[in-house]
Amino acid sequence: MASETSQATLHSSVSDVAAGGAAHASHGPTGLLRWLVTTNHKEIGSLYLIFSLVMLFIGGSMALVIRAELFQPGMQYVQPEFFNQMTTMHGLIMVFGAIMPAFVGLANWMIPMQIGAPDMALPRLNNFSFWLLPVAFGILLSTLFMEGGGPNFGWTFYAPLSTTFAPPSTSFFIMSIHLAGISSILGAINIIATILNLRTPGMRLMDMSLFVWTWLITAFLLIAVMPVLAGVVTMMLMDINFGTSFFDAAGGGDPVLFQHLFWFFGHPEVYIMILPAFGIVSLIVPTFARKRLFGYASMVYATASIALLSFVVWAHHMFTVGLPLTAELFFMYSTMLIAVPTGVKVFNWIATLFRGSITFEVPMLFALGFIVMFTIGGLSGVMLAIVPADFQYHDTYFVVAHFHYVLVPGALFAIMAAVYFWLPKWTGHYASETLGKWHFWLSVIGVNLTFFPMHFSGLAGMPRRIPDYALQFADFNMISSIGGFLFGFSQLIFVWVVIKAVRGGRKAPAKAWEGAEGLEWTVPSPAPLHTFDTPPAYDPQTDSPSRH
Amino acid sequence: MGRILYAYLYAASICLIVLSTTAQASSINTSSGFNMPPGVTEISREVYSLHMTILWICVAIAVVVFGVMFYSLIVYRKSKGAKPAHFHENTTVEIIWTAVPLVILVLMAVPATATLKKMYDTSDAELDVLVTGYQWRWRYEYLEEDVSFFSNLATPREQIYEAEEKGDFYLVEVDEPMVVPTGVKVRLLLTANDVIHSWWVPDLAVKKDAIPGFINETWFKVDEPGIYRGQCAELCGRDHAFMPIEVKAVSPDEYQLWLASRREAAEAEVAGADREWSLDELMERGAGTYNTYCAACHQPQGQGLPPMFPALAGVGMSVDPDGLRAHKEIVLYGKTGTAMPAFGSTLSAAELAAVITYERNAWGNDTGDLIQPSAIRAMLESQ
Amino acid sequence: MLKVIRSVLAAFFGVQSEANRQQDFQSTSPWKFIVVGVFMTLVFVFLVGFVAWLAAN
Ligand code: HEM
Ligand SMILES: [Cu+2]
Ligand SMILES: [Cu+2]
């Protein structure tokens, strides 16, 4: 390992290591064991993506439990304590188990291929980062079967509900967060090392694809904030098991400190879940508009500004905790400002479409769906920044609508778009256009039926995280539940599409899309297990997305 | 594709129109059913107008952005023979679309700042009420008036579990509302006894967290008599959905009458501890107290929800003849490090005696122990 | 130095003329941009804080 890392900056020697690792894989263990010990970035990428899909369905089933209970007023199917476990686990699994690992999976597959590297810089670490995840989420899910049940305090786990008043399984929850956090940090280190050291000769930073750029910045965010999350759960662990009182007012502690720490992690975290999505959309839109991305440089700048600003807006999640007036104003202004670079992104995508030559293949449909619905979520974000109004919105279904718009038709649609976009490269076959279109349209209808009415129920006064509600909110909840089931079951089409493409289908050439650009389209489809064992030739004058 | 989108938008707008006409049934606040309630205070109306301003700004931005987007999608289709242009940068355009949102936001920040400053100005209040969040009820203490009481959910379990028809104010009704005089600036001092709660009444545009160890301040002034309903807005455990808020605004005269009646009731409660109570009396009173204050965790039949909330029926100190002392102590002083609160400072001696008697004799516990309010009072006074 | 500050400000705003950008990317080390960038971020945060403080008082 030591000799590997010391050589990691040298392109050719890393390619030896990667080849060595892969040789190990192909001549050594076979079957399941091969997947356990693989160090190949493509295989690990697939593992991440499959894991994330499994988590998507587990977390999704929990969402359907929630929506079933909320279909009508009154308690019908579950008890309040189980309902709380479902909302908590749904949030944790979707954030840490579905969205984040999916982006890491895409990074694993595509970053080396987009920068002309033979593999990730630290292949064995890569394997370790992945295998921490099934362990982490195995532990997390097992808490549901423990005495007293699993975590029931919301994915934001505010103390002291999550400490003094928490179920006994909470220490296991903390353990699983630690493991998932370590996995993220190691993954981020690997991505940074890869991007900074393994670019093919001639490729400068400003020549990298936006997916690589957004992931580079995301990785720095991860390294900056994951330790804060680790710190805060460790303080909880101490409060629960070792008699400290970090968050216990009775012992002189401070419950509000918890929220500051959590959101110092939490706000950058929401950008961790969206920046790579920005990168994906910035690749797909130019491809199917057959026109270069408008404002490559300003896209990079906007990503960097968002990342920096994301460290100074955290308390917009805490407007009602009673911060001093000056602090409220500061966080209101900074939050309004962060909306500007976010808007710039959207404008750039639209300027790219303008006077293009547009076709509507499935990846493009998902990317366009992303632009529209992410914008809706961004606009409700601007509303949430207005503090006096946020007093009315906060902790209602309006907030639930906001973050689901940015995360489901936002982050998740971008992931779907990416899968449809690169599936030909991964499997050698195009995904079925017909099924893909069904998947897209049913998802769009389902998502909007589910989440748009939540704006209304929230504004009218329905708090979030409640298993039962006043009669006034009955109509909107019924619509949301119907939409939720429609969306949930539509995702089975996606599974079917992927399985079909793996098994066969229309053959894809190396350059699977007419307007596609980038090194990944120069290798055959499906991409062989080893690509770019020797660095490809690269000329910024003709190949760079920022060329003139 | 265009056609599907069209059909979809069409269907969505029909849905909206239908809903906007039906959703008004049994409104629990001044909301039209799908928008923020304008409310009944000067502040709430200001907040509403901020909300509507920013909403229309967002709608306008959306119309422009999506307008250009859909125009491009329709006009520049390859199937229509569109050939791609080659521009990919334009400094002027980029400056404009960065500067315009900035200006809009600055313009929006000005009125928002002004309203926020008013909301933060708690000076010159004429009435101070200390509001304490408990799992899962609110307690109101009128600081200068020597009046305090708990406010519990009044909706019966049967309605929640579908055994009875649901009432109009299902889940937003309480046994004892908070009563305030109209035309008076009321300052709320908010705190909590266990976990974080949040006191929210949409019609007053007041939402403020109640945090253990902290005292938060906020205020409102209602001009119109009426009942204004709200709910706890911060996840606080299993019965978070079941701790509503009811503010009843009455004329200052009526308010004085109400204060007097509260004081009288409190005196009667204290006096109750002077006399001997029979087992039947204690059991009846105890059943009521138990269902209001204990059943959420220990369950109506005393079966508990182990390991978080222990059972009381048939096990432990409640059936142990030698457990009486421990039983009294845990109810009066609570148990630190768990969710069991100290009821000694919040319930009356009669209620405490009744509920302990009830727990020791209900559900086949049958210890025959009979605890007199006077004994509890003696215990509390010796502390 | 002033040129660096101007470039960083342009990056904050997100818009930079192509000529200036080409010129910036001629320089061999990114360090002066990074240092100035971080410094300007702090200045920016203090500025917003100052405005908030003014507005509150
Ligand atoms: C224009 C940009 C955005 C602005 C101005 C914004 C603003 C806000 C504000 C003020 C809140 C707090 C609301 C409250 O609790 O009262 C919030 C909540 C939230 N936002 Fe955003 N947001 C933006 C974009 C995003 C993005 C891109 C994501 C993620 C991909 C995101 C995810 C979330 C989440 C998850 C929450 C709720 C967390 C929770 O309480 O559980 N937001 N946003
Ligand atoms: Cu945030
Ligand atoms: Cu609550």
Side-chain angles (χ1 to χ4, degrees):
Chain A
M1 201 67 200
S3 68
E4 270 178 41
T5 43
S6 64
Q7 292 172 349
T9 48
L10 294 171
H11 196 280
S12 57
S13 54
V14 170
S15 88
D16 289 347
V17 171
H24 182 64
S26 43
H27 302 307
T30 50
L32 275 183
L33 195 57
R34 166 174 160 207
W35 288 96
L36 201 63
V37 300
T38 178
T39 56
N40 180 287
H41 74 103
K42 299 187 183 76
E43 291 182 337
I44 294 178
S46 300
L47 286 174
Y48 268 109
L49 288 168
I50 293 165
F51 175 80
S52 139
L53 189 63
V54 171
M55 285 296 140
L56 181 73
F57 277 92
I58 296 179
S61 316
M62 293 172 174
L64 295 189
V65 172
I66 296 170
R67 281 316 328 166
E69 182 55 58
L70 292 175
F71 184 65
Q72 286 182 320
M75 299 299 302
Q76 286 92 15
Y77 306 110
V78 296
Q79 292 299 313
E81 55 272 17
F82 188 69
F83 182 92
N84 288 346
Q85 291 171 40
M86 288 293 102
T87 54
T88 307
M89 290 291 249
H90 163 72
L92 290 169
I93 288 177
M94 289 308 199
V95 168
F96 296 104
I99 301 287
M100 290 172 70
F103 282 130
V104 181
L106 294 172
N108 256 289
W109 254 103
M110 302 318 298
I111 288 178
M113 280 164 68
Q114 292 196 330
I115 63 174
D119 203 302
M120 297 293 282
L122 311 162
R124 291 186 200 170
L125 191 71
N126 203 11
N127 172 292
F128 182 59
S129 317
F130 171 75
W131 283 107
L132 283 173
L133 282 182
V135 179
F137 285 87
I139 293 175
L140 185 63
L141 285 170
S142 73
T143 60
L144 283 176
F145 304 97
M146 293 179 187
E147 237 196 338
N152 56 11
F153 27 65
W155 85 276
T156 52
F157 50 98
Y158 281 9
L161 187 63
S162 61
T163 53
T164 317
F165 295 82
S169 64
T170 304
S171 299
F172 290 92
F173 152 78
I174 292 172
M175 178 76 171
S176 73
I177 293 289
H178 268 308
L179 292 176
I182 294 171
S183 162
S184 288
I185 293 178
L186 297 181
I189 290 173
N190 206 346
I191 285 170
I192 293 176
T194 306
I195 296 175
L196 293 186
N197 296 310
L198 298 189
R199 290 192 314 281
T200 193
M203 185 187 277
R204 298 161 307 176
L205 288 177
M206 277 313 228
D207 299 327
M208 302 189 311
S209 92
L210 266 162
F211 180 66
V212 178
W213 253 119
T214 49
W215 240 119
L216 178 65
I217 292 171
T218 302
F220 277 108
L221 284 182
L222 275 169
I223 292 179
V225 298
M226 277 295 162
V228 180
L229 177 68
V232 77
V233 294
T234 306
M235 288 156 91
M236 281 171 59
L237 189 76
M238 308 274 284
D239 271 11
I240 294 171
N241 297 303
F242 305 113
T244 57
S245 308
F246 289 110
F247 308 129
D248 179 5
D254 180 350
V256 177
L257 174 66
F258 175 92
Q259 296 183 28
H260 282 294
L261 292 173
F262 180 85
W263 288 115
F264 189 78
F265 147 80
H267 186 82
E269 167 68 20
V270 308
Y271 281 97
I272 287 166
M273 292 188 283
I274 205 68
L275 293 183
F278 289 167
I280 291 165
V281 172
S282 303
L283 295 187
I284 293 178
V285 168
T287 302
F288 297 96
R290 292 167 183 75
K291 180 161 160 273
R292 300 248 314 278
L293 182 68
F294 187 90
Y296 171 91
S298 62
M299 282 297 222
V300 173
Y301 292 147
T303 310
S305 334
I306 291 174
L308 286 175
L309 279 172
S310 77
F311 286 103
V312 293
V313 297
W314 75 89
H316 65 214
H317 297 272
M318 303 165 56
F319 284 143
T320 62
V321 302
L323 301 174
L325 181 58
T326 312
E328 301 264 310
L329 291 173
F330 175 86
F331 286 105
M332 169 161 75
Y333 301 156
S334 62
T335 303
M336 291 169 118
L337 285 172
I338 205 172
V340 174
T342 312
V344 166
K345 295 251 175 201
V346 175
F347 301 150
N348 277 309
W349 293 320
I350 290 174
T352 308
L353 292 171
F354 186 70
R355 297 182 57 202
S357 171
I358 305 168
T359 50
F360 298 96
E361 286 87 343
V362 181
M364 183 63 159
L365 288 179
F366 274 95
L368 295 174
F370 172 97
I371 297 176
V372 173
M373 290 180 271
F374 174 80
T375 304
I376 294 177
L379 289 172
S380 61
V382 174
M383 297 175 69
L384 289 165
I386 311 292
V387 179
D390 179 75
F391 289 161
Q392 294 280 49
Y393 308 139
H394 176 66
D395 262 333
T396 69
Y397 263 85
F398 190 82
V399 176
V400 179
H402 159 68
F403 67 74
H404 281 91
Y405 263 89
V406 287
L407 287 173
V408 182
L412 186 62
F413 267 37
I415 293 165
M416 299 286 183
V419 171
Y420 281 103
F421 187 52
W422 284 313
L423 211 50
K425 182 55 59 189
W426 300 340
T427 66
H429 307 119
Y430 286 100
S432 154
E433 273 293 300
T434 320
L435 283 178
K437 287 201 162 130
W438 273 100
H439 175 218
F440 173 72
W441 285 107
L442 287 176
S443 297
V444 167
I445 295 170
V447 131
N448 286 292
L449 269 184
T450 314
F451 299 115
F452 210 79
M454 289 184 184
H455 292 111
F456 301 130
S457 45
L459 288 175
M462 179 168 165
R464 67 194 280 207
R465 292 170 169 162
I466 54 175
D468 196 5
Y469 48 84
L471 301 181
Q472 181 180 353
F473 310 121
D475 297 350
F476 289 128
N477 274 282
M478 194 172 275
I479 300 175
S480 287
S481 291
I482 294 169
F485 277 84
L486 176 65
F487 181 79
F489 283 99
S490 304
Q491 302 320 304
L492 294 173
I493 305 176
F494 175 68
V495 179
W496 179 228
V497 168
V498 173
I499 293 176
K500 261 187 76 160
V502 170
R503 293 164 120 200
R506 192 157 63 88
K507 289 246 178 314
K511 186 173 163 189
W513 310 105
E514 186 193 347
E517 280 194 12
L519 289 175
E520 78 261 41
W521 304 109
T522 62
V523 302
S525 301
L529 196 57
H530 301 289
T531 41
F532 299 130
D533 281 341
T534 51
Y538 191 85
D539 179 4
Q541 297 301 323
T542 54
D543 301 335
S544 170
S546 69
R547 70 183 180 272
H548 272 267
Chain B
M1 180 208 126
R3 245 179 312 132
I4 305 180
L5 192 83
Y6 234 66
Y8 175 62
L9 285 178
Y10 187 70
S13 41
I14 297 276
C15 283
L16 266 183
I17 292 165
V18 172
L19 276 169
S20 57
T21 49
T22 58
Q24 312 212 1
S26 73
S27 198
I28 53 171
N29 52 38
T30 57
S31 163
S32 59
F34 57 93
N35 198 358
M36 182 189 284
V40 295
T41 68
E42 196 191 318
I43 291 285
S44 74
R45 284 184 285 265
E46 254 180 55
V47 170
Y48 177 76
S49 90
L50 277 175
H51 158 71
M52 290 313 285
T53 313
I54 188 75
L55 176 62
W56 285 120
I57 290 177
C58 286
V59 170
I61 295 174
V63 167
V64 173
V65 170
F66 297 153
V68 177
M69 178 171 170
F70 280 94
Y71 172 82
S72 306
L73 291 185
I74 291 164
V75 174
Y76 302 111
R77 271 178 292 172
K78 192 176 179 223
S79 57
K80 288 275 156 77
K83 295 268 175 301
H86 286 289
F87 67 91
H88 52 83
E89 243 160 23
N90 183 324
T91 313
T92 325
V93 172
E94 292 182 53
I95 289 179
I96 290 175
W97 74 33
T98 313
V100 170
L102 260 176
V103 171
I104 294 176
L105 289 175
V106 170
L107 289 181
M108 200 54 222
V110 173
T113 304
T115 303
L116 185 64
K117 285 176 79 167
K118 286 190 210 163
M119 296 174 100
Y120 259 65
D121 180 11
T122 52
S123 60
D124 303 322
E126 294 162 69
L127 172 63
D128 279 342
V129 183
L130 175 64
V131 182
T132 311
Y134 286 76
Q135 283 180 323
W136 291 278
R137 57 186 53 84
W138 295 97
R139 184 177 196 217
Y140 299 97
E141 286 172 72
Y142 290 63
L143 293 179
E144 294 95 11
E145 309 290 351
D146 196 25
V147 162
S148 75
F149 57 91
F150 278 103
S151 182
N152 298 286
L153 174 73
T155 305
R157 261 184 95 79
E158 289 72 24
Q159 289 190 13
I160 299 173
Y161 287 92
E162 311 283 6
E164 270 177 24
E165 188 78 10
K166 294 177 174 46
D168 277 351
F169 297 111
Y170 177 70
L171 297 189
V172 284
E173 52 197 347
V174 300
D175 53 359
E176 289 286 347
M178 174 191 192
V179 177
V180 296
T182 49
V184 165
K185 182 168 180 178
V186 182
R187 179 166 60 172
L188 298 182
L189 305 168
L190 289 141
T191 187
N193 185 55
D194 33 53
V195 299
I196 302 176
H197 304 266
S198 189
W199 197 88
W200 179 34
V201 178
D203 278 339
L204 307 180
V206 171
K207 182 185 286 141
K208 199 88 177 183
D209 293 358
I211 305 170
F214 280 73
I215 293 193
N216 267 335
E217 282 184 24
T218 185
W219 68 275
F220 63 84
K221 185 167 136 193
V222 195
D223 294 321
E224 287 298 306
I227 294 180
Y228 306 109
R229 296 166 195 276
Q231 272 180 276
C232 177
E234 178 64 58
L235 177 64
C236 55
R238 64 181 299 270
D239 279 354
H240 167 53
F242 307 108
M243 51 181 295
I245 295 157
E246 224 182 286
V247 175
K248 190 172 167 192
V250 297
S251 70
D253 291 344
E254 260 179 87
Y255 171 69
Q256 289 303 332
L257 287 177
W258 174 79
L259 279 181
S261 76
R262 285 296 334 171
R263 287 198 196 99
E264 234 166 75
E267 274 160 27
E269 187 64 35
V270 172
D274 295 337
R275 64 182 176 88
E276 279 293 289
W277 288 53
S278 73
L279 183 61
D280 282 349
E281 262 183 309
L282 286 169
M283 288 296 282
E284 197 193 322
R285 183 81 199 263
T289 309
Y290 181 85
N291 285 326
T292 308
Y293 293 95
C294 319
C297 296
H298 297 293
Q299 301 298 294
Q301 294 307 314
Q303 73 274 32
L305 289 168
M308 289 295 289
F309 308 122
L312 306 177
V315 294
M317 60 179 76
S318 319
V319 279
D320 179 359
D322 302 322
L324 181 56
R325 192 171 173 79
H327 192 168
K328 283 192 212 158
E329 278 174 356
I330 197 166
V331 174
L332 266 58
Y333 310 129
K335 184 165 176 191
T336 45
T338 74
M340 178 69 190
F343 287 104
S345 55
T346 52
L347 296 186
S348 73
E351 285 171 314
L352 290 163
V355 81
I356 297 169
T357 306
Y358 179 77
E359 287 175 348
R360 300 187 73 74
N361 294 285
W363 325 299
N365 280 0
D366 298 336
T367 57
D369 288 336
L370 189 157
I371 296 95
Q372 285 298 339
S374 50
I376 296 292
R377 190 170 58 189
M379 205 172 149
L380 284 171
E381 278 166 2
S382 70
Q383 270 286 301
Chain C
M1 199 62 203
L2 238 121
K3 272 195 70 68
V4 177
I5 292 179
R6 237 187 47 209
S7 291
V8 168
L9 278 177
F12 269 27
F13 194 71
V15 183
Q16 166 79 300
S17 77
E18 186 51 33
N20 279 338
R21 196 169 70 79
Q22 290 299 352
Q23 207 177 14
D24 290 343
F25 277 82
Q26 295 308 319
S27 75
T28 45
S29 149
W31 279 108
K32 57 178 194 262
F33 291 96
I34 293 173
V35 171
V36 173
V38 170
F39 177 74
M40 299 284 283
T41 306
L42 291 179
V43 171
F44 175 77
V45 169
F46 278 109
L47 210 74
V48 177
F50 182 66
V51 171
W53 179 81
L54 275 185
N57 295 300

